[in-house]
């Protein structure tokens, strides 16, 4: 079984986001970038399926600038067998990514495609769902457990109020939730080996996809500074402050 994993290069989750002075976008100058955490979980799950003998090949794919190859090399160091880089310097929105990934699925014919449930930069949470709609494949979003049985995939999903178990017919698209697994760290020898693993570069034109966005980014603002809280000495003082200072009760 071939598994395709989509990984996105995003700002490292530890970095405090800065907005450009002209508010046109987030400032990426000298900012540490990393693989989106939900994509790390996707790679880990694919590699575990390979280690269990369920998957035969793990292919990592990304859409982004040349620098996004770093994240593909990370995926290769974590255990992916080869990588596909769809190179573009344009800002690509979810629909364009989904259209490109559909072309990759048409060419590669993976039995399972794993994406993160959301990218932590734009928080869109829509690429996997769009990809399932475009390909017509079954989808299990927010997976916290995956079990492959022949041509079926049981997906346990985290939903409000509990867990839902779905049975999908393969080929299928899955998006990962936080509790699916705990990703491993890449070991130095594996980082070295990853440099020699195959990485193929294509352009959106090679795949016949127009990535022009129908969405314009107008302005980016930093959230308003939050004021520090206070401790009150008694319920009476709390009620007084809610009435007379916050004016949220009368
Ligand atoms: P989003 O819908 O943007 O929140 O992203 C959800 C998931 O879609 C990510 O975790 C990735 O698995 C995949 N994805 C989004 N953008 C890209 C990209 N540029 N390249 C590869 N995968 C992507």
């Amino acid at each position: 079984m071939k598994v395709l994993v989509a990984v996105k290069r995003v700002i490292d989750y530890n970095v405090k986001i800065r907005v450009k002075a002209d508010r046109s976008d987030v400032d990426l100058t000298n900012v540490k970038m990393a693989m989106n955490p939900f994509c790390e979980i996707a790679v880990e799950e694919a590699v575990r399926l390979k280690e269990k003998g369920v998957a035969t090949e793990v292919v990592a794919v990304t859409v982004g600038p040349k620098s996004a190859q770093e994240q593909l090399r990370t995926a290769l160091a974590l255990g992916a067998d080869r990588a596909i880089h769809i190179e573009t310097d344009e800002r690509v929105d979810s629909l364009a990514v989904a259209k490109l990934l559909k072309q990759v699925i048409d060419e590669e014919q993976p039995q399972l495609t794993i994406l993160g449930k959301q990218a932590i930069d734009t928080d869109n949470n829509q690429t996997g769902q769009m990809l399932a709609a475009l390909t017509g494949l079954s989808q299990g979003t927010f997976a916290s457990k995956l079990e492959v049985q022949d041509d079926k995939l049981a997906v346990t999903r985290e939903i409000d109020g509990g867990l839902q178990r779905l049975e999908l017919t393969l080929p299928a698209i899955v998006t990962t939730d936080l509790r699916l697994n705990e990703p491993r760290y890449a070991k130095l020898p594996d980082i070295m080996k990853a440099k020699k693993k195959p990485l193929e570069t294509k352009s959106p034109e090679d795949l016949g996809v127009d990535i022009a966005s129908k969405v314009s980014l107008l302005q980016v603002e930093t959230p308003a500074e939050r004021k520090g809280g206070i401790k009150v000495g008694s319920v009476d003082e709390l009620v007084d402050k809610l009435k007379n200072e916050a004016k949220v009760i009368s």
Side-chain angles (χ1 to χ4, degrees):
M1 177 170 108
K2 190 193 279 187
V3 182
L4 183 71
V5 190
V7 299
K8 186 177 185 193
R9 175 180 173 87
V10 296
I11 292 188
D12 187 279
Y13 73 96
N14 288 305
V15 169
K16 190 164 187 310
I17 310 284
R18 286 190 319 260
V19 171
K20 284 184 180 171
D22 65 359
R23 297 190 191 167
S24 60
D25 206 340
V26 169
D27 191 354
L28 296 181
T29 329
N30 299 325
V31 167
K32 183 170 180 238
M33 304 293 282
M35 188 189 294
N36 180 46
F38 291 104
C39 302
E40 286 182 345
I41 296 172
V43 173
E44 176 67 32
E45 198 61 21
V47 171
R48 287 189 191 186
L49 286 173
K50 192 167 173 207
E51 287 168 346
K52 277 190 217 154
V54 177
T56 46
E57 190 183 26
V58 176
V59 183
V61 56
T62 197
V63 180
K66 187 149 192 87
S67 50
Q69 287 191 8
E70 277 174 35
Q71 281 58 51
L72 288 178
R73 289 288 170 207
T74 305
L76 293 169
L78 291 169
D81 298 291
R82 61 187 172 91
I84 301 171
H85 179 205
I86 304 167
E87 189 173 344
T88 174
D89 289 326
E90 300 296 313
R91 166 184 281 276
V92 264
D93 61 27
S94 304
L95 186 56
V97 174
K99 285 180 183 170
L100 292 165
L101 293 179
K102 178 190 182 295
Q103 290 310 113
V104 176
I105 289 180
D106 288 348
E107 280 180 18
E108 294 283 337
Q109 297 289 316
Q111 282 292 91
L112 176 62
T113 301
I114 315 181
L115 301 89
K117 78 166 175 184
Q118 76 195 70
I120 61 161
D121 51 359
T122 50
D123 273 345
N124 285 341
N125 178 2
Q126 53 191 15
T127 310
Q129 296 86 328
M130 287 175 166
L131 181 59
L134 291 173
T135 53
L137 298 178
S138 29
Q139 64 173 307
T141 50
F142 315 149
S144 60
K145 191 171 175 195
L146 294 186
E147 294 152 280
V148 180
Q149 296 137 353
D150 305 321
D151 67 335
K152 299 268 186 265
L153 174 70
V155 180
T156 305
R157 318 179 53 228
E158 298 194 357
I159 55 167
D160 288 346
L163 297 174
Q164 182 188 45
R165 199 159 178 271
L166 298 178
E167 194 179 79
L168 311 182
T169 305
L170 294 168
I173 314 267
V174 163
T175 73
T176 60
D177 213 331
L178 203 60
R179 275 164 288 273
L180 181 59
N181 59 50
E182 262 191 46
R184 70 195 69 188
Y185 292 100
K187 297 193 197 94
L188 189 59
D190 294 332
I191 295 173
M192 301 312 285
K193 271 190 232 152
K195 291 185 182 170
K196 296 212 176 92
K197 288 189 179 176
L199 191 157
E200 185 188 357
T201 303
K202 294 173 186 249
S203 68
E205 296 75 51
D206 293 338
L207 295 170
V209 176
D210 175 9
I211 59 164
S213 179
K214 299 204 167 42
V215 180
S216 317
L217 175 61
L218 300 180
Q219 202 176 70
V220 177
E221 304 244 6
T222 27
E225 286 277 323
R226 291 177 70 182
K227 291 193 201 120
I230 54 157
K231 270 192 183 166
V232 290
S234 66
V235 172
D236 287 345
E237 192 188 341
L238 173 65
V239 171
D240 178 65
K241 285 193 182 298
L242 290 174
K243 246 189 214 167
N244 302 316
E245 284 182 23
K247 298 195 186 342
V248 289
I249 56 172
S250 50

